[in-house]
Amino acid sequence: MDTIDERRAIIQPIARSWYPQQLAALDMLRFDQLHPIISGNKWFKLRLNIRHAIDGGFKTIVTFGGGYSNHLIATAYAAKMFGIKSIGIVRGRYHTLTATLADCQNAGMELIFVSNEEYERKEDTDWIRELASHFDELFIIPEGGANEWGRAGAGLIDRFVKQDYTHIALSVGTGTTLAGLRNKLDSKQHMLGFVPMKQGTYLKDYITEHLHADKNTNWQLFDHWHLGGFGKWNDELLHFMNDFYRTTNIPLDIVYTSKMMFGIRQLLAEGFFAPDARVLCIHTGGLQGNVSVKDKLDY
Ligand SMILES: *Cc1c(COP(=O)(O)O)cnc(C)c1O
């Protein structure tokens, strides 16, 4: 598949048998269906960045990520799709490439490996230009697509979210998607952000900083369903994912969306939602990352 068709992002009701409690609606917005690799929210964070790069006459996109980064691989594929060169600055040195990094290379991305200490300079434009000096006309996208184009692109998700949803749930990494979408949704709609890492509530500051004053309301972060930390998992989570797939026919990813739905189930059990709540869970994709556990999943 070499295009992104946003009509593939259907809204699917989650099977009633998964949540015996009464709830007016529990639906999943399937952004995992957009593209096998450029899935989920990454496409929305990239689309205005790429358009801006093309309109500005830039020939090469530079971006950042770790060895398992959904953002890095989405950028590699999207750049290729639009005929732009791409460079990925990778945190850490790898003797053997991860499956994600190998895929980035196969999509034509040039990888530049830097140490963890060097990676700290990822916002230093002069350093980036020096690293990539063999290319000119660089368009720099920060880690996770966390810039104004990323947030504006995430805001475009609002067209998939009907006004009668009372709660919108999504996974949070940098907070870019949550901030961008919060700014566009009706301020009466509650946004629930699920953070898959320890002590992730520091993201509150970044999100608050990028919200319009009248939209800085009705949103909250949950960071207690990290299951050991970012990228960590246990048998309980795998069992949960397999069971969720059997019941709903929806595959979740091991890093983000599985922990969100794990949290949602907990909230349901605690009676967090009123019986007339209409909840939309956003499937932000990330399924490519499941290669690392593919022999443990039934899908
Ligand atoms: C990157 C990613 C997120 C986090 O998005 P942010 O905009 O960085 O908060 C959530 N879910 C998945 C599957 C992702 O790949």
Side-chain angles (χ1 to χ4, degrees):
M1 202 201 308
D2 61 355
T3 57
I4 303 271
D5 183 353
E6 292 184 4
R7 285 168 304 182
R8 295 169 61 90
I10 56 153
I11 289 182
Q12 178 177 342
I14 291 174
R16 288 272 168 181
S17 55
W18 188 72
Y19 60 111
Q21 296 88 344
Q22 206 203 321
L23 210 56
L26 181 61
D27 297 341
M28 183 79 92
L29 173 54
R30 299 287 307 272
F31 283 152
D32 57 312
Q33 305 273 50
L34 290 175
H35 183 275
I37 305 292
I38 314 170
S39 67
N41 59 337
K42 298 297 181 280
W43 164 242
F44 291 94
K45 293 196 287 181
L46 283 170
R47 47 177 285 175
L48 298 184
N49 271 297
I50 289 175
R51 182 193 301 161
H52 194 64
I54 292 172
D55 289 353
F58 295 91
K59 298 282 189 293
T60 308
I61 283 175
V62 191
T63 197
F64 300 82
Y68 301 89
S69 167
N70 291 332
H71 166 71
L72 207 58
I73 194 166
T75 306
Y77 275 73
K80 184 179 181 195
M81 192 182 278
F82 289 94
I84 303 182
K85 290 192 207 100
S86 67
I87 301 177
I89 298 179
V90 183
R91 181 183 50 216
R93 304 196 187 272
Y94 289 82
H95 292 294
T96 41
L97 293 182
T98 62
T100 303
L101 292 176
D103 264 5
C104 286
Q105 266 186 356
N106 291 337
M109 180 177 257
E110 178 178 309
L111 300 178
I112 298 177
F113 297 89
V114 300
S115 67
N116 289 337
E117 299 84 71
E118 287 174 300
Y119 193 82
E120 294 301 312
R121 298 177 67 183
K122 61 182 187 279
E123 270 143 46
D124 175 348
T125 317
D126 293 338
W127 175 68
I128 298 165
R129 294 196 184 284
E130 205 178 294
L131 270 183
S133 58
H134 50 305
F135 287 99
D136 47 57
E137 303 175 272
L138 298 178
F139 185 82
I140 300 166
I141 303 179
E143 187 180 43
N147 61 7
E148 61 170 304
W149 306 107
R151 291 187 295 275
L156 299 173
I157 294 173
D158 78 326
R159 67 178 74 148
F160 297 86
V161 183
K162 290 203 193 79
Q163 288 232 346
D164 65 353
Y165 284 111
T166 56
H167 296 79
I168 291 87
L170 85 165
S171 309
V172 173
T174 60
T176 307
T177 308
L178 194 149
L181 184 54
R182 167 75 288 179
N183 277 335
K184 288 289 172 166
L185 290 182
D186 190 318
S187 54
K188 286 197 288 295
Q189 292 175 294
H190 295 253
M191 290 197 75
L192 310 175
F194 294 84
V195 185
M197 51 229 167
K198 283 188 183 166
Q199 276 137 24
T201 44
Y202 73 90
L203 290 163
K204 258 191 156 140
D205 296 342
Y206 169 86
I207 294 170
T208 306
E209 201 181 309
H210 293 102
L211 289 181
H212 308 322
D214 60 324
K215 301 291 182 177
N216 188 12
T217 177
N218 281 331
W219 66 277
Q220 70 189 105
L221 298 180
F222 298 98
D223 72 345
H224 35 285
W225 293 296
H226 55 70
L227 292 118
F230 188 69
K232 301 278 178 4
W233 47 266
N234 58 24
D235 287 344
E236 192 187 3
L237 187 66
L238 290 168
H239 179 81
F240 174 83
M241 292 166 75
N242 283 328
D243 177 68
F244 189 81
Y245 182 71
R246 247 192 323 275
T247 318
T248 66
N249 216 21
I250 301 173
L252 299 172
D253 83 292
I254 187 90
V255 179
Y256 291 99
T257 53
S258 56
K259 293 180 182 179
M260 166 177 76
M261 294 316 295
F262 194 88
I264 294 269
R265 193 185 58 177
Q266 213 74 74
L267 291 179
L268 286 164
E270 292 166 10
F272 177 88
F273 300 104
D276 61 351
R278 304 184 63 85
V279 184
L280 180 68
C281 306
I282 300 183
H283 195 317
T284 41
L287 296 175
Q288 68 84 23
N290 283 351
V291 288
S292 59
V293 288
K294 65 173 185 291
D295 52 331
K296 298 183 176 65
L297 293 174
D298 301 338
Y299 53 88

